[in-house]
Amino acid sequence: MIWCKDSHLEKRGRFQSVCWDPPPHHMILLQLPLFLRVEIAIMKAKGKLKEYHVVGRRIPTDTLKTPPLFKMRIFAPDHVVAKSRYWYFIKKLKKIKKTRGEIVLCQQRYEKRPLTIKNYGIWLRYDSRSGTHNMYREYRDMSTAGAVTQCYRDMGARHRARAHSIQIIRIEAIAAGKCRRPAVKQFHNSKIKFPMPHQTPRHYRDRFTTAKPKTYFK
């Protein structure tokens, strides 16, 4: 029995009908109700992403008793999605299926200096409506996971890119002199100032009053 996609729901990844495989002129289609249809589990970038290091390998066999380990750096909302993304990439890169492999380690990684602002360069690829594109982006954040979260939000807003179609190729902290984007370079000025059009005076005021405070001063 083969699951067949409906062309109308193909973009959503839903399966519409079931077909058997006798000769083509005898093909039978069986429509299923909504509660019996199967959906593909795709990644959703919910909340702030976390950084995971996932290590896996093939299941040992008689011919290969000590299979090599493969380590990946995955950004996902939780460890369940991190393992799922690991199998997605390892199947494409090393032809290892989930049924023929095992996860050795899935560990969340934390930032060494979480209170220091840094510049991050992100190399990525994503699938749009017209094709696959490579891209380089820069962000300022205090952690790697925060920069990747910004990237997912920015790609979804500017390019309508879905989270499951974005693949992070490389990410690293870069020096201020190597930054390229003006949106990031404008914060490298040590004498940068921000206007305060509205401010609340800090002098003593009553706890209960009938007059609203004045926040605008020339």
Side-chain angles (χ1 to χ4, degrees):
M1 189 165 60
I2 304 173
W3 291 94
C4 297
K5 277 187 178 180
D6 189 317
S7 59
H8 178 67
L9 300 176
E10 184 176 0
K11 292 183 179 180
R12 300 184 180 180
R14 297 181 179 177
F15 291 98
Q16 173 73 13
S17 57
V18 178
C19 63
W20 287 266
D21 47 356
H25 58 281
H26 295 298
M27 183 169 289
I28 303 171
L29 293 178
L30 176 62
Q31 299 294 330
L32 293 180
L34 279 173
F35 64 89
L36 289 179
R37 294 177 188 169
V38 181
E39 294 187 359
I40 296 178
I42 58 178
M43 177 182 173
K44 295 182 179 180
K46 298 181 294 183
K48 186 176 181 179
L49 300 182
K50 304 173 184 176
E51 181 181 353
Y52 291 91
H53 285 190
V54 186
V55 181
R57 65 174 184 174
R58 296 180 185 270
I59 295 178
T61 58
D62 296 336
T63 57
L64 186 61
K65 295 183 179 180
T66 56
L69 298 173
F70 299 101
K71 180 181 178 181
M72 283 191 182
R73 188 183 185 188
I74 304 292
F75 296 92
D78 51 47
H79 69 280
V80 178
V81 180
K83 293 179 182 179
S84 177
R85 297 296 288 174
Y86 175 83
W87 290 120
Y88 172 81
F89 290 119
I90 204 68
K91 183 179 178 181
K92 291 181 174 293
L93 296 174
K94 298 298 180 180
K95 308 299 182 184
I96 302 176
K97 295 175 64 177
K98 183 178 179 180
T99 55
R100 299 293 183 182
E102 61 181 357
I103 297 292
V104 178
L105 175 67
C106 182
Q107 185 178 14
Q108 183 179 350
R109 305 293 293 179
Y110 298 93
E111 193 71 21
K112 292 183 179 180
R113 296 179 297 165
L115 301 180
T116 304
I117 189 71
K118 294 174 283 292
N119 308 305
Y120 289 98
I122 301 179
W123 289 260
L124 60 91
R125 59 178 293 183
Y126 78 100
D127 298 324
S128 68
R129 299 187 184 97
S130 58
T132 303
H133 313 278
N134 296 323
M135 190 175 293
Y136 170 77
R137 308 188 73 84
E138 287 181 356
Y139 298 95
R140 281 175 62 83
D141 206 285
M142 293 187 294
S143 65
T144 307
V148 174
T149 304
Q150 285 190 53
C151 181
Y152 272 84
R153 301 290 181 265
D154 199 22
M155 291 295 296
R158 295 177 183 272
H159 301 280
R160 299 293 187 269
R162 304 298 187 265
H164 62 86
S165 66
I166 300 175
Q167 299 177 7
I168 304 296
I169 299 174
R170 182 160 61 102
I171 176 172
E172 63 181 20
I174 56 179
K178 295 184 179 180
C179 291
R180 312 177 195 173
R181 303 294 184 253
V184 176
K185 294 171 67 175
Q186 66 179 347
F187 293 101
H188 295 163
N189 183 10
S190 60
K191 298 182 180 179
I192 188 171
K193 296 181 180 180
F194 299 93
M196 294 182 62
H198 294 270
Q199 58 182 347
T200 303
R202 295 184 177 273
H203 60 76
Y204 173 79
R205 56 181 180 269
D206 298 333
R207 183 180 298 272
F208 301 101
T209 180
T210 57
K212 62 181 181 180
K214 296 180 180 180
T215 61
Y216 181 75
F217 301 94
K218 292 184 179 180

